[in-house]
Amino acid sequence: MAYENIQVSREGPIATITVNRPKALNALNSATLRELLQAVREAADSSRALILTGAGDKAFVAGADISEMAPMTPWSAREFSELGHVLTAMLEDIPCATIAAVNGYALGGGCELALMCDMIIAGDTARFGQPEVNLGIIPGAGGTQRWPRTAGKYVAMETVLTGAPITASRAHELGIANKVVPAEMTVAIAQRVARQLAEKAPLALRMAKEAVLKAFEAPLAEGLMSERKSFYFLFSTDDQKEGMRAFLEKRKAVFKGR
Ligand code: CAA
């Protein structure tokens, strides 16, 4: 499918989606959100790892598009927010691993998008923040809920109430970024990580992701039960046989996702 606001590229089992509106610092208007939904849906069916990034060297995504939001009524804002929530929920649900390659500003909806990925690789010029209070609104794509779950109450309050962005190194200290890398290497390093993830047993990767995410929602006993079920289920797969046989035969496993 041809897209106007994003670019999709593929290297073997790895898909890269680049938000491509550099003149607006890759801000997300509803057309871009719809294209992202379609591209993520397609990647879910055909990829083992997905990288999300922004075009240019200044921004990952500088938030929702303010010029589109400015004239919105509460009802149209509700629809817009719903679109953001559908996208972020889909990113969380898709079976392949997702990596945000944050190469500059990740603000507002852009920060929320990054926080919905399984891993975040930040360029050293990246800035993360929720500046919505400066616009008279609050985060609308999950920020008020994801920040406390990721960084705790006080960091969340500081970020959401002050609207002040934090640097890549502070994000790393807070456990929001997995790695901080030289800005120009952000996508290349995300690709390196994606290649490593794409080599893992796909069903195990999918269930590992589900199990970790469960910890944010379920009581401990329920999370542990769910982990145990996935653990023993995986012993019914060809990939478990292959993975363990390959270890014992001192060779690299070839996983088929079955
Ligand atoms: N929406 C629309 N356009 C945006 C934008 C956004 N979120 N962010 C930047 N742009 C546009 C600017 O209007 C400007 O366009 P023109 O050249 O046509 O004037 C262009 O991108 C370059 O931006 P600046 O000139 O402002 O660049 P800068 O280097 O001086 O500042 C910045 C960079 C600090 C990121 C600044 O652009 C900024 O503060 N942007 C807004 C960030 C923001 O508030 N994001 C949250 C949006 S609300 C939201 O996301 C709600 C939600 O949760 C869903």
Side-chain angles (χ1 to χ4, degrees), residues 22-25 27 58 62-67 69 80 105 107-110 112 130-132 135 137-141:
K23 285 192 180 139
L25 301 187
K58 201 166 164 188
D65 191 309
I66 299 169
S67 49
M69 281 188 301
F80 188 60
Y105 292 111
L107 300 177
E112 291 163 312
Q130 300 291 156
E132 286 88 345
L135 300 167
I137 57 170
I138 67 167

Side-chain angles (χ1 to χ4, degrees), residues 15-231:
T16 301
I17 301 177
T18 306
V19 180
N20 187 27
R21 303 186 68 221
K23 285 192 180 139
L25 301 187
N26 304 321
L28 301 172
N29 57 13
S30 36
T32 309
L33 285 170
R34 286 201 189 87
E35 290 186 7
L36 281 169
L37 270 174
Q38 178 63 25
V40 171
R41 198 176 288 129
E42 280 169 14
D45 289 333
S46 56
S47 314
R48 290 193 179 182
L50 167 64
I51 298 170
L52 269 184
T53 192
D57 56 8
K58 201 166 164 188
F60 170 71
V61 166
D65 191 309
I66 299 169
S67 49
E68 183 177 349
M69 281 188 301
M72 280 181 184
T73 63
W75 197 248
S76 47
R78 177 185 184 276
E79 268 182 43
F80 188 60
S81 168
E82 205 169 294
L83 203 53
H85 279 230
V86 173
L87 174 64
T88 50
M90 189 186 284
L91 272 174
E92 198 167 62
D93 272 356
I94 66 168
C96 68
T98 55
I99 303 172
V102 179
N103 51 334
Y105 292 111
L107 300 177
C111 189
E112 291 163 312
L113 197 61
L115 287 182
M116 290 311 294
C117 291
D118 300 327
M119 295 177 72
I120 297 180
I121 307 297
D124 51 13
T125 57
R127 294 288 178 275
F128 295 82
Q130 300 291 156
E132 286 88 345
V133 279
N134 300 325
L135 300 167
I137 57 170
I138 67 167
T144 62
Q145 303 305 300
R146 305 288 175 199
W147 270 91
R149 282 169 169 76
T150 311
K153 172 181 166 185
Y154 297 103
V155 171
M157 285 293 186
E158 186 182 333
T159 309
V160 174
L161 300 190
T162 69
I166 60 170
T167 60
S169 61
R170 173 106 171 103
H172 187 237
E173 274 165 30
L174 294 169
I176 288 165
N178 294 87
K179 280 181 203 292
V180 181
V181 302
E184 66 283 4
M185 299 286 291
T186 314
V187 173
I189 291 177
Q191 284 166 339
R192 195 184 300 163
V193 174
R195 274 182 224 115
Q196 287 163 359
L197 296 174
E199 283 181 1
K200 309 296 173 197
L203 290 173
L205 195 96
R206 172 184 191 160
M207 291 195 149
K209 173 172 170 166
E210 274 174 22
V212 172
L213 289 171
K214 190 101 186 166
F216 292 102
E217 286 163 20
L220 180 62
E222 194 185 320
L224 290 172
M225 170 64 82
S226 164
E227 179 193 86
R228 198 155 64 239
K229 281 186 180 161
S230 297
F231 176 77

